[in-house]
């Protein structure tokens, strides 16, 4: 079981084979070039691929609308890049990358699964992902 500490929050515990903890994912070269969300979790019970980005705060839209817009563009880019990375690796592009994914990610039911994305900000002291064992709390 894995717990993840991000932005003052604790997520998990997660079953190892159901979690792609991107910061710990082997292709370090990719991580340095591309913005990615914190982690992606395969929720077997709901057949959902759940992506999570944790932030400690959000820029004030009234005081700095440009920073606020950039904040959400950055998050969108992280989710987009993470799903592209998973999709490519699951289809072995580049070659021999499928084996770097956790076991559950190697056999995802692409035609029938759903994809869910969460941005978590620690204003909430308790949060649940999909109503299951993936909760987070202030550390």
């Amino acid at each position: 079981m894995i717990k993840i500490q991000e932005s003052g929050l604790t997520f998990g515990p997660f079953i190892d084979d159901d979690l792609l903890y991107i910061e710990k994912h082997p292709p370090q070269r990719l991580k340095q070039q591309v913005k990615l969300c914190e982690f992606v979790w395969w929720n077997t019970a709901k057949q959902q691929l759940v992506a999570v980005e944790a932030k400690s705060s959000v820029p004030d839209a009234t005081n700095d609308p440009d920073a606020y817009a950039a904040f959400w563009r950055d998050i969108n880019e992280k989710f987009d890049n993470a799903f592209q990375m998973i999709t490519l690796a699951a289809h072995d592009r580049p070659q021999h990358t499928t084996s770097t994914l956790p076991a559950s990610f190697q056999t995802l039911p692409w035609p029938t699964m759903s994809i869910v994305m969460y941005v978590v900000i620690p204003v909430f002291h308790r949060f649940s992902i999909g109503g299951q064992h993936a909760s987070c709390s202030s550390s």
Side-chain angles (χ1 to χ4, degrees):
M1 298 297 271
I2 299 172
K3 286 188 177 183
I4 297 174
Q5 301 283 325
E6 288 291 341
S7 298
L9 300 170
T10 303
F11 296 88
F14 298 100
I15 297 169
D16 296 25
D17 285 343
D18 291 344
L19 180 72
L20 179 60
Y21 186 11
I22 292 177
E23 287 188 2
K24 306 291 184 193
H25 189 62
Q28 297 297 322
R29 157 178 66 61
L30 175 66
K31 200 173 68 176
Q32 293 170 359
Q33 299 169 358
V34 180
K35 296 177 185 179
L36 299 163
C37 63
E38 313 296 349
F39 64 91
V40 181
W41 167 55
W42 173 243
N43 181 336
T44 305
K46 293 191 175 190
Q47 297 288 284
Q48 291 179 334
L49 200 55
V50 181
V52 176
E53 174 63 16
K55 291 291 192 182
S56 57
S57 64
V58 179
D60 187 333
T62 357
N63 292 338
D64 194 348
D66 292 338
Y68 183 77
F71 173 85
W72 291 109
R73 274 193 309 274
D74 185 58
I75 287 174
N76 183 56
E77 182 180 357
K78 288 180 177 192
F79 284 137
D80 184 41
N81 290 340
F83 285 114
Q84 286 186 53
M85 180 192 79
I86 292 165
T87 303
L88 289 170
H91 293 91
D92 217 23
R93 303 282 185 227
Q95 197 170 19
H96 307 298
T97 53
T98 301
S99 62
T100 68
L101 292 173
S104 293
F105 286 69
Q106 294 178 28
T107 58
L108 291 171
W110 292 98
T112 58
M113 71 180 191
S114 57
I115 295 173
V116 181
M117 296 168 269
Y118 290 101
V119 178
V120 181
I121 303 161
V123 172
F124 303 103
H125 295 289
R126 193 164 174 89
F127 187 83
S128 176
I129 299 173
Q132 282 216 317
H133 66 281
S135 62
C136 66
S137 56
S138 297
S139 14

